[in-house]
Amino acid sequence: MAVMARFRAASAPKRGAASADDSVERRPATRPRKQIVPVHKVEFVLDPGIAKMIPEPGTNPRFERLLRVKIRCRDQALGEEAVRIAAAFQCALREATEGTDVAVTQALARYFAVEAAVTGRLDPRSALRRANVDRYLTEQIEFGSKSLRSLRWMFYSAGCLLHPGEFPRENAVAYRTIHVPAAAPDEVRRLYGLVPTLPTLLAQRLQAVVDLCWGVGARRADFRYLKGNSISVRRRRGRPVALVELRNNSGGTRLVPAIEPILVDNLARLSDYAGDGLVLAPHKQTTHRNELNRVAEGLRKRGHRGYNPVALRHRWMLDLAEQLPAALVLHLADIGDLRVISDHQRIPEYKLERILTAMEGLQR
């Protein structure tokens, strides 16, 4: 029988076994997933420093309330002990709302339980080492930046209690998000190759998603308002160019062009099909907030892998960055920096001759 906290990150890669001392464990990212430790081999490790943090029964109403928090765990004893330790950490921090208390306790307890299932030791001191916390956060990247930012705040705050030298102060935590990796070119070809094999409605919706995310860098939120008449086609120097009007995060709109002939044709047909209706639901006034997820679910029901629209947008950004000036990429993508590119693509080193050639037309 295996011990594992069942939660939405259960499919993330597991890490290697923890050492018995307090040294920082730096496990290689490529290490294969470890076998989950059987229940009878999980060891509870509670050093005196952590034991002092746990309130005596009946002395702390906040702690008593948090003991009622539940997590999904096949080993009930492991789950309850993980919750007890997580509640003690939360009570050692400053007061918070009841909802925040529960959320932090659940997140910490799940982390402790998963670490115990992998390493064979329920050892919060080792689990809250900076290297282990950062490794776990990297594995949770598929949840998106908001969830990752919240988890980092929770774990860094708890980690400061045991290892203050390894973590920034709570009010100085820099929320650095590692961006979703860009989709590989083969992934884009796979999605386009699926279109002719799917039922008509699902095929139209998948093609719209790929054309807009990979083709012009549309965000998830754009599909809640993007209509067919937001797409226009005009000719420039004898060639058709598609222009898609997208909203900026700070307000206003921008026009993002697409010049590849096949992509222009696809967007022109999408504009004609949707008209003044939404591109994913022409006959509705609004779309479901999880409309893109429904398209991916339609693929999975037919035995295909889903897709990540954020990864498709990032592939578009990386392709632009190879050929366009940085300032233009920032404008078209509506972003404030190029970290998404530096996270997943090495910035090329330019030879002096190429630099001089590029600067020949520079006028100041």
Side-chain angles (χ1 to χ4, degrees):
M1 181 177 181
V3 178
M4 182 172 64
R6 298 182 58 194
F7 66 111
R8 58 182 180 177
S11 61
K14 304 298 186 226
R15 296 172 283 171
S19 61
D21 58 20
D22 282 344
S23 61
V24 177
E25 303 156 63
R26 301 186 181 277
R27 310 180 181 107
T30 57
R31 178 170 292 183
R33 180 181 297 185
K34 295 282 287 184
Q35 180 67 36
I36 299 300
V37 178
V39 172
H40 65 276
K41 292 186 178 180
V42 174
E43 178 186 2
F44 290 3
V45 180
L46 200 63
D47 62 48
I50 297 177
K52 291 180 180 179
M53 296 171 55
I54 301 177
E56 293 292 332
T59 61
N60 189 322
R62 183 185 183 194
F63 178 72
E64 300 293 333
R65 184 180 70 248
L66 291 178
L67 288 179
R68 296 195 293 269
V69 168
K70 302 294 182 183
I71 62 171
R72 292 186 178 182
C73 186
R74 292 183 180 178
D75 177 24
Q76 184 177 356
L78 174 61
E80 291 177 352
E81 182 66 7
V83 168
R84 189 171 77 99
I85 296 172
F89 273 94
Q90 181 61 10
C91 290
L93 299 171
R94 63 186 181 187
E95 288 287 338
T97 65
E98 183 173 348
T100 299
D101 272 349
V102 171
V104 174
T105 301
Q106 285 180 328
L108 284 173
R110 289 175 185 136
Y111 173 52
F112 292 151
V114 169
E115 285 291 290
V118 174
T119 65
R121 292 162 55 90
L122 179 59
D123 185 354
R125 185 173 293 277
S126 176
L128 288 174
R129 286 288 190 183
R130 173 73 177 267
N132 294 336
V133 168
D134 285 347
R135 178 79 63 180
Y136 178 81
L137 292 173
T138 301
E139 293 167 358
Q140 311 312 305
I141 195 170
E142 67 268 22
F143 295 157
S145 60
K146 290 184 178 179
S147 294
L148 192 62
R149 188 178 299 118
S150 298
L151 286 175
R152 181 178 287 109
W153 164 73
M154 295 173 186
F155 294 166
Y156 277 24
S157 298
C160 281
L161 297 175
L162 299 181
H163 311 291
E166 296 184 19
F167 295 92
R169 295 188 306 275
E170 183 180 359
N171 59 358
V173 172
Y175 299 117
R176 173 68 170 94
T177 298
I178 300 176
H179 293 85
V180 174
D186 286 345
E187 171 68 2
V188 178
R189 287 191 285 269
R190 179 186 76 88
L191 293 173
Y192 274 128
L194 287 177
V195 171
T197 70
L198 300 172
T200 302
L201 180 58
L202 180 59
Q204 289 175 337
R205 302 179 86 194
L206 176 61
Q207 174 124 19
V209 171
V210 181
D211 287 340
L212 290 167
C213 292
W214 172 77
V216 295
R219 294 183 171 101
R220 275 179 172 273
D222 292 331
F223 288 90
R224 300 187 66 181
Y225 71 85
L226 193 58
K227 298 183 177 181
N229 55 20
S230 300
I231 304 170
S232 60
V233 178
R234 66 179 63 173
R235 301 191 71 83
R236 183 178 184 274
R237 296 178 182 175
R239 296 178 56 188
V241 176
L243 300 174
V244 182
E245 186 177 9
L246 300 175
R247 293 181 186 176
N248 296 328
N249 280 338
S250 59
T253 61
R254 67 191 186 283
L255 287 176
V256 181
I259 61 174
E260 296 93 334
I262 295 179
L263 184 57
V264 172
D265 289 344
N266 290 346
L267 291 172
R269 285 196 296 270
L270 178 60
S271 177
D272 293 339
Y273 167 70
D276 59 357
L278 298 168
V279 292
L280 289 187
H283 306 297
K284 297 181 181 178
Q285 294 299 316
T286 59
T287 60
H288 192 275
R289 63 187 302 268
N290 291 324
E291 205 71 48
L292 294 182
N293 293 345
R294 291 182 173 182
V295 178
E297 183 62 26
L299 295 181
R300 286 189 286 269
K301 285 181 178 179
R302 288 162 177 80
H304 305 295
R305 296 197 315 272
Y307 63 89
N308 188 333
V310 179
L312 294 173
R313 168 178 156 84
H314 288 174
R315 167 49 52 192
W316 168 78
M317 291 172 59
L318 263 60
D319 291 344
L320 290 187
E322 292 179 354
Q323 304 178 57
L324 299 182
L328 183 53
V329 176
L330 294 174
H331 166 74
L332 292 175
D334 186 36
I335 54 177
D337 58 60
L338 295 176
R339 289 182 300 174
V340 63
I341 295 170
S342 61
D343 274 351
H344 303 295
Q345 178 171 293
R346 187 174 66 85
I347 303 300
E349 296 181 3
Y350 294 99
K351 301 290 186 181
L352 178 59
E353 188 63 29
R354 184 174 178 184
I355 295 174
L356 294 175
T357 301
M359 294 183 67
E360 283 179 352
L362 179 63
Q363 296 182 358
R364 302 179 64 185

